[in-house]
Amino acid sequence: MLLLTRKLGENIRIGDDVKITIVEVKGNHVKLGIDAPPNVKVHREEIYERIQQENRRAQELKDNGPAAPPAKDPSENDPDSQR
């Protein structure tokens, strides 16, 4: 992992197309500005993880088909059944 130190208003470049700017620093919070072309997806880590989870779930459904509904208890339709 590359570690960089930047001050307010300074930038970091990733390749030719992505520029990250330090916009604000308050206590232990840092606000970043990210300039990237539309084809570069930029997400917070927790959002990225959720997207990956949904993609895995969708792939499983595609591979295995939808899950079968749970079997009904036959006693539910039997009026003489005691609960």
Side-chain angles (χ1 to χ4, degrees), residues 18-55:
V18 179
K19 180 170 98 172
I20 301 172
T21 304
I22 309 304
V23 175
E24 183 178 53
V25 179
K26 281 186 178 177
N28 63 351
H29 292 273
V30 177
K31 188 180 286 187
L32 303 173
I34 302 170
D35 288 322
N39 64 318
V40 174
K41 295 176 181 167
V42 178
H43 301 287
R44 296 187 330 248
E45 182 72 18
E46 62 274 17
I47 301 300
Y48 176 80
E49 289 298 327
R50 220 177 310 161
I51 291 168
Q52 294 302 309
Q53 205 172 38
E54 288 296 319
N55 288 344

Side-chain angles (χ1 to χ4, degrees), residues 52-70:
Q52 294 302 309
Q53 205 172 38
E54 288 296 319
N55 288 344
R56 284 190 294 273
R57 188 180 310 145
Q59 186 63 47
E60 286 175 13
L61 285 174
K62 182 180 174 188
D63 293 344
N64 303 328

